Amino acid sequence: MSPYAIDSAMIEWLSELSPVWQALLAGTGTWLVTAIGAALVFGFVGVSRKLMDAMLGFSGGVMLAASYWSLLAPAIEIAEQTGGIKWLPPAIGFLAGGGVLWAIDKVLPHLHLYLPVDQAEGLPTSWRRSVLLVTAITLHNIPEGLAIGVVFGGAAMGIQGATVEAAIALAVGIGIQNFPEGVAVAMPLRAEGMSRIKSFWFGAASALVEPPAAVLGAAAVFYARPILPYALSFAAGAMVFVVVEELIPESQQKGNADLATVCLMVGFVVMMVLDVSLG
Protein backbone atom coordinates (compact mmCIF):
# COMPACT_ATOMS: atom_id res chain seq x y z
CA MET A 1 0.00 0.00 0.00
CA SER A 2 1.38 3.40 -0.94
CA PRO A 3 1.99 6.13 1.65
CA TYR A 4 -0.67 8.23 -0.12
CA ALA A 5 -3.25 5.49 0.37
CA ILE A 6 -2.33 5.20 4.03
CA ASP A 7 -2.63 8.96 4.48
CA SER A 8 -5.99 8.97 2.71
CA ALA A 9 -7.25 6.17 4.93
CA MET A 10 -6.15 8.04 8.04
CA ILE A 11 -7.84 11.24 6.88
CA GLU A 12 -11.02 9.33 6.05
CA TRP A 13 -11.00 7.67 9.48
CA LEU A 14 -10.43 11.00 11.21
CA SER A 15 -13.18 12.65 9.18
CA GLU A 16 -15.72 10.16 10.55
CA LEU A 17 -15.10 11.29 14.13
CA SER A 18 -16.88 14.18 15.79
CA PRO A 19 -14.98 17.50 15.73
CA VAL A 20 -14.52 17.32 19.49
CA TRP A 21 -12.77 13.96 19.21
CA GLN A 22 -10.73 15.22 16.26
CA ALA A 23 -9.62 18.24 18.26
CA LEU A 24 -8.83 16.12 21.32
CA LEU A 25 -6.66 13.73 19.31
CA ALA A 26 -4.85 16.56 17.52
CA GLY A 27 -4.34 18.53 20.73
CA THR A 28 -3.01 15.45 22.47
CA GLY A 29 -0.63 14.90 19.58
CA THR A 30 0.78 18.42 19.79
CA TRP A 31 1.18 18.01 23.55
CA LEU A 32 3.05 14.75 22.96
CA VAL A 33 5.55 16.53 20.70
CA THR A 34 6.16 19.05 23.49
CA ALA A 35 6.82 16.16 25.87
CA ILE A 36 9.26 14.64 23.38
CA GLY A 37 11.14 17.93 23.26
CA ALA A 38 11.25 18.07 27.04
CA ALA A 39 12.52 14.46 27.09
CA LEU A 40 15.84 15.64 25.62
CA VAL A 41 16.69 16.62 29.17
CA PHE A 42 17.40 12.94 29.87
CA GLY A 43 20.25 12.93 27.35
CA PHE A 44 21.59 16.47 27.46
CA VAL A 45 22.51 18.95 30.16
CA GLY A 46 21.61 22.04 28.20
CA VAL A 47 21.16 23.71 24.82
CA SER A 48 23.29 26.57 23.53
CA ARG A 49 21.68 30.00 23.43
CA LYS A 50 22.32 30.17 19.67
CA LEU A 51 20.37 26.97 19.06
CA MET A 52 17.59 28.09 21.39
CA ASP A 53 17.27 31.43 19.58
CA ALA A 54 17.13 29.58 16.26
CA MET A 55 14.32 27.36 17.56
CA LEU A 56 12.42 30.34 18.95
CA GLY A 57 12.69 32.07 15.58
CA PHE A 58 11.48 28.95 13.78
CA SER A 59 8.53 28.65 16.16
CA GLY A 60 7.63 32.27 15.52
CA GLY A 61 7.66 31.72 11.76
CA VAL A 62 5.38 28.70 12.02
CA MET A 63 2.93 30.61 14.20
CA LEU A 64 2.89 33.65 11.90
CA ALA A 65 2.24 31.52 8.81
CA ALA A 66 -0.46 29.52 10.61
CA SER A 67 -2.11 32.76 11.70
CA TYR A 68 -2.69 33.74 8.09
CA TRP A 69 -2.88 30.57 6.00
CA SER A 70 -4.83 28.45 8.48
CA LEU A 71 -6.85 31.08 10.33
CA LEU A 72 -7.19 34.58 8.87
CA ALA A 73 -7.58 33.59 5.21
CA PRO A 74 -10.39 31.09 5.97
CA ALA A 75 -12.01 33.63 8.31
CA ILE A 76 -12.12 36.23 5.52
CA GLU A 77 -13.48 33.66 3.05
CA ILE A 78 -16.20 32.52 5.44
CA ALA A 79 -17.16 36.10 6.32
CA GLU A 80 -17.49 36.87 2.60
CA GLN A 81 -19.83 33.90 2.11
CA THR A 82 -22.14 35.05 4.88
CA GLY A 83 -22.58 38.54 3.40
CA GLY A 84 -21.95 41.90 4.99
CA ILE A 85 -18.56 43.53 5.32
CA LYS A 86 -16.16 40.65 4.68
CA TRP A 87 -13.22 42.16 6.57
CA LEU A 88 -15.15 43.19 9.68
CA PRO A 89 -15.53 39.85 11.56
CA PRO A 90 -11.85 38.92 10.98
CA ALA A 91 -10.71 42.38 12.08
CA ILE A 92 -12.82 42.25 15.25
CA GLY A 93 -11.73 38.72 16.09
CA PHE A 94 -8.05 39.44 15.41
CA LEU A 95 -7.95 42.49 17.65
CA ALA A 96 -9.96 40.70 20.33
CA GLY A 97 -7.50 37.79 20.34
CA GLY A 98 -4.54 40.09 20.76
CA GLY A 99 -6.38 42.13 23.38
CA VAL A 100 -7.27 39.12 25.49
CA LEU A 101 -3.69 37.83 25.41
CA TRP A 102 -2.45 41.31 26.31
CA ALA A 103 -4.77 41.39 29.33
CA ILE A 104 -3.72 37.90 30.44
CA ASP A 105 -0.08 38.90 29.98
CA LYS A 106 -0.57 41.82 32.36
CA VAL A 107 -2.34 39.78 35.02
CA LEU A 108 -0.99 36.21 34.98
CA PRO A 109 2.46 35.88 36.60
CA HIS A 110 5.01 34.47 34.15
CA LEU A 111 8.70 34.67 33.32
CA HIS A 112 10.39 34.90 29.93
CA LEU A 113 13.33 32.61 29.17
CA TYR A 114 16.76 33.51 30.60
CA LEU A 115 15.44 36.37 32.73
CA PRO A 116 15.96 36.52 36.51
CA VAL A 117 12.90 35.80 38.63
CA ASP A 118 12.67 39.43 39.77
CA GLN A 119 11.76 40.38 36.19
CA ALA A 120 8.64 38.23 36.12
CA GLU A 121 5.65 39.88 34.48
CA GLY A 122 2.05 39.97 35.64
CA LEU A 123 0.79 40.49 39.16
CA PRO A 124 3.33 40.18 42.00
CA THR A 125 3.70 36.61 43.21
CA SER A 126 5.86 34.28 45.25
CA TRP A 127 5.71 31.52 42.64
CA ARG A 128 8.94 29.67 41.98
CA ARG A 129 10.92 30.22 38.78
CA SER A 130 9.91 26.82 37.38
CA VAL A 131 6.21 27.61 37.71
CA LEU A 132 6.67 31.04 36.15
CA LEU A 133 8.46 29.53 33.13
CA VAL A 134 5.73 26.94 32.63
CA THR A 135 3.10 29.67 32.86
CA ALA A 136 4.86 31.67 30.14
CA ILE A 137 4.91 28.74 27.69
CA THR A 138 1.33 27.88 28.61
CA LEU A 139 0.32 31.33 27.38
CA HIS A 140 1.69 30.30 23.96
CA ASN A 141 -0.22 27.05 23.94
CA ILE A 142 -3.71 28.34 24.74
CA PRO A 143 -4.23 30.07 21.36
CA GLU A 144 -2.53 27.16 19.58
CA GLY A 145 -4.98 24.67 21.06
CA LEU A 146 -7.93 26.96 20.30
CA ALA A 147 -6.77 27.33 16.71
CA ILE A 148 -6.65 23.58 16.15
CA GLY A 149 -10.11 23.09 17.62
CA VAL A 150 -11.67 25.97 15.72
CA VAL A 151 -10.47 24.66 12.35
CA PHE A 152 -11.70 21.13 13.10
CA GLY A 153 -15.05 22.57 14.19
CA GLY A 154 -15.34 24.57 10.98
CA ALA A 155 -14.44 21.53 8.89
CA ALA A 156 -17.17 19.47 10.55
CA MET A 157 -19.74 22.03 9.43
CA GLY A 158 -18.65 21.63 5.82
CA ILE A 159 -17.71 25.27 5.45
CA GLN A 160 -15.54 26.09 2.45
CA GLY A 161 -12.10 27.21 3.57
CA ALA A 162 -12.08 24.98 6.66
CA THR A 163 -11.26 21.33 5.93
CA VAL A 164 -10.02 18.35 7.89
CA GLU A 165 -6.85 18.41 5.78
CA ALA A 166 -6.26 22.06 6.68
CA ALA A 167 -6.82 21.26 10.36
CA ILE A 168 -4.32 18.39 10.15
CA ALA A 169 -1.78 20.69 8.47
CA LEU A 170 -2.25 23.22 11.26
CA ALA A 171 -1.83 20.54 13.94
CA VAL A 172 1.33 19.23 12.27
CA GLY A 173 2.79 22.74 12.05
CA ILE A 174 2.01 23.53 15.67
CA GLY A 175 3.38 20.15 16.70
CA ILE A 176 6.67 20.89 14.93
CA GLN A 177 7.11 24.19 16.72
CA ASN A 178 6.04 22.66 20.05
CA PHE A 179 9.20 20.56 20.10
CA PRO A 180 11.49 23.53 20.87
CA GLU A 181 8.99 24.82 23.42
CA GLY A 182 9.41 21.62 25.44
CA VAL A 183 13.17 22.05 25.19
CA ALA A 184 12.89 25.73 26.15
CA VAL A 185 11.33 24.88 29.51
CA ALA A 186 13.11 21.66 30.46
CA MET A 187 16.71 22.55 29.57
CA PRO A 188 17.04 25.82 31.52
CA LEU A 189 15.55 24.16 34.60
CA ARG A 190 17.99 21.27 34.32
CA ALA A 191 20.88 23.70 33.87
CA GLU A 192 19.84 25.38 37.13
CA GLY A 193 20.12 22.10 39.03
CA MET A 194 16.60 20.70 38.93
CA SER A 195 16.38 16.91 38.57
CA ARG A 196 15.89 15.46 35.09
CA ILE A 197 12.48 14.03 35.98
CA LYS A 198 11.16 17.32 37.37
CA SER A 199 12.61 19.27 34.44
CA PHE A 200 10.90 16.89 32.02
CA TRP A 201 7.63 17.13 33.92
CA PHE A 202 7.58 20.92 33.86
CA GLY A 203 8.45 20.94 30.15
CA ALA A 204 5.69 18.49 29.30
CA ALA A 205 3.18 20.20 31.60
CA SER A 206 3.56 23.48 29.71
CA ALA A 207 1.44 22.09 26.84
CA LEU A 208 -1.17 20.22 28.88
CA VAL A 209 -3.57 23.07 28.16
CA GLU A 210 -3.60 22.34 24.41
CA PRO A 211 -6.00 19.33 24.37
CA PRO A 212 -8.72 21.03 26.47
CA ALA A 213 -8.26 24.31 24.56
CA ALA A 214 -8.66 22.42 21.28
CA VAL A 215 -11.83 20.72 22.53
CA LEU A 216 -13.21 24.08 23.68
CA GLY A 217 -12.51 25.67 20.31
CA ALA A 218 -14.11 22.82 18.35
CA ALA A 219 -17.21 22.69 20.54
CA ALA A 220 -17.67 26.47 20.47
CA VAL A 221 -17.74 26.84 16.69
CA PHE A 222 -19.56 23.56 16.02
CA TYR A 223 -22.48 24.52 18.24
CA ALA A 224 -22.39 28.22 17.41
CA ARG A 225 -21.68 28.45 13.67
CA PRO A 226 -21.93 32.27 13.33
CA ILE A 227 -18.89 32.79 15.54
CA LEU A 228 -16.55 30.82 13.25
CA PRO A 229 -14.89 33.77 11.43
CA TYR A 230 -14.53 35.55 14.76
CA ALA A 231 -13.08 32.44 16.43
CA LEU A 232 -10.59 31.78 13.61
CA SER A 233 -9.31 35.36 13.63
CA PHE A 234 -9.34 35.47 17.45
CA ALA A 235 -6.89 32.57 17.52
CA ALA A 236 -4.81 34.29 14.84
CA GLY A 237 -4.62 37.53 16.82
CA ALA A 238 -3.63 35.68 19.98
CA MET A 239 -0.87 33.81 18.16
CA VAL A 240 0.52 36.94 16.51
CA PHE A 241 0.57 38.68 19.89
CA VAL A 242 2.65 35.86 21.35
CA VAL A 243 5.11 35.96 18.45
CA VAL A 244 5.63 39.71 18.51
CA GLU A 245 5.55 40.18 22.29
CA GLU A 246 7.63 37.17 23.32
CA LEU A 247 9.21 34.91 20.70
CA ILE A 248 10.84 37.53 18.48
CA PRO A 249 12.24 39.68 21.33
CA GLU A 250 13.54 36.63 23.21
CA SER A 251 15.31 35.30 20.11
CA GLN A 252 17.17 38.55 19.38
CA GLN A 253 18.60 39.59 22.73
CA LYS A 254 22.00 37.86 22.66
CA GLY A 255 23.53 38.64 19.27
CA ASN A 256 21.73 35.95 17.27
CA ALA A 257 19.28 38.25 15.51
CA ASP A 258 20.27 37.26 11.97
CA LEU A 259 20.09 33.54 12.72
CA ALA A 260 16.75 33.89 14.48
CA THR A 261 15.33 35.92 11.60
CA VAL A 262 16.43 33.38 8.99
CA CYS A 263 14.93 30.57 11.07
CA LEU A 264 11.69 32.55 11.41
CA MET A 265 11.47 32.79 7.64
CA VAL A 266 12.20 29.08 7.28
CA GLY A 267 9.49 28.29 9.82
CA PHE A 268 7.04 30.50 7.94
CA VAL A 269 7.75 28.69 4.67
CA VAL A 270 7.47 25.24 6.30
CA MET A 271 4.02 26.08 7.67
CA MET A 272 2.94 27.66 4.41
CA VAL A 273 3.97 24.56 2.45
CA LEU A 274 2.16 22.31 4.93
CA ASP A 275 -1.04 24.30 4.65
CA VAL A 276 -0.99 24.64 0.87
CA SER A 277 -0.01 21.02 0.19
CA LEU A 278 -2.24 19.37 2.81
CA GLY A 279 -5.04 21.89 3.07
Side-chain angles (χ1 to χ4, degrees):
M1 182 179 293
S2 68
Y4 177 78
I6 295 174
D7 291 343
S8 298
M10 291 180 63
I11 292 174
E12 184 178 353
W13 171 79
L14 191 61
S15 298
E16 294 175 353
L17 300 176
S18 74
V20 171
W21 275 106
Q22 292 170 346
L24 178 61
L25 289 173
T28 301
T30 57
W31 165 79
L32 182 59
V33 177
T34 307
I36 293 172
L40 291 185
V41 77
F42 292 109
F44 301 91
V45 175
V47 174
S48 70
R49 182 60 190 265
K50 178 178 285 190
L51 178 57
M52 186 62 68
D53 288 344
M55 291 191 295
L56 289 172
F58 181 86
S59 295
V62 169
M63 292 177 70
L64 285 177
S67 297
Y68 175 74
W69 294 99
S70 300
L71 300 170
L72 273 179
I76 294 171
E77 185 175 350
I78 294 167
E80 185 176 13
Q81 294 170 5
T82 57
I85 304 175
K86 64 182 180 180
W87 54 262
L88 187 58
I92 293 174
F94 185 85
L95 293 175
V100 169
L101 260 291
W102 175 84
I104 294 175
D105 187 75
K106 296 301 180 184
V107 174
L108 187 65
H110 63 283
L111 180 66
H112 292 193
L113 292 175
Y114 302 108
L115 293 180
V117 71
D118 61 358
Q119 293 188 28
E121 298 182 359
L123 296 177
T125 181
S126 59
W127 291 358
R128 298 174 60 183
R129 177 181 175 82
S130 56
V131 177
L132 291 169
L133 283 172
V134 171
T135 305
I137 301 299
T138 299
L139 284 176
H140 301 184
N141 291 322
I142 292 174
E144 293 170 10
L146 285 173
I148 292 172
V150 165
V151 178
F152 272 114
M157 292 186 291
I159 294 177
Q160 185 177 358
T163 65
V164 171
E165 290 83 356
I168 292 173
L170 176 61
V172 170
I174 288 177
I176 291 172
Q177 66 90 38
N178 271 5
F179 181 85
E181 288 189 352
V183 177
V185 176
M187 289 300 187
L189 295 178
R190 176 58 182 163
E192 293 175 3
M194 183 175 287
S195 71
R196 295 182 190 275
I197 292 178
K198 284 187 176 181
S199 299
F200 165 75
W201 163 246
F202 279 113
S206 65
L208 281 175
V209 70
E210 283 198 6
V215 168
L216 177 62
V221 301
F222 185 70
Y223 294 109
R225 176 173 178 154
I227 73 168
L228 182 56
Y230 297 94
L232 286 166
S233 51
F234 179 95
M239 290 173 68
V240 169
F241 178 88
V242 168
V243 173
V244 177
E245 202 274 339
E246 296 192 20
L247 296 185
I248 291 177
E250 287 176 9
S251 69
Q252 305 207 5
Q253 291 178 353
K254 295 296 182 180
N256 300 315
D258 289 344
L259 174 63
T261 301
V262 169
C263 289
L264 184 146
M265 296 181 70
V266 171
F268 187 99
V269 170
V270 167
M271 185 63 229
M272 179 182 68
V273 170
L274 280 173
D275 191 89
V276 173
S277 60
L278 297 179

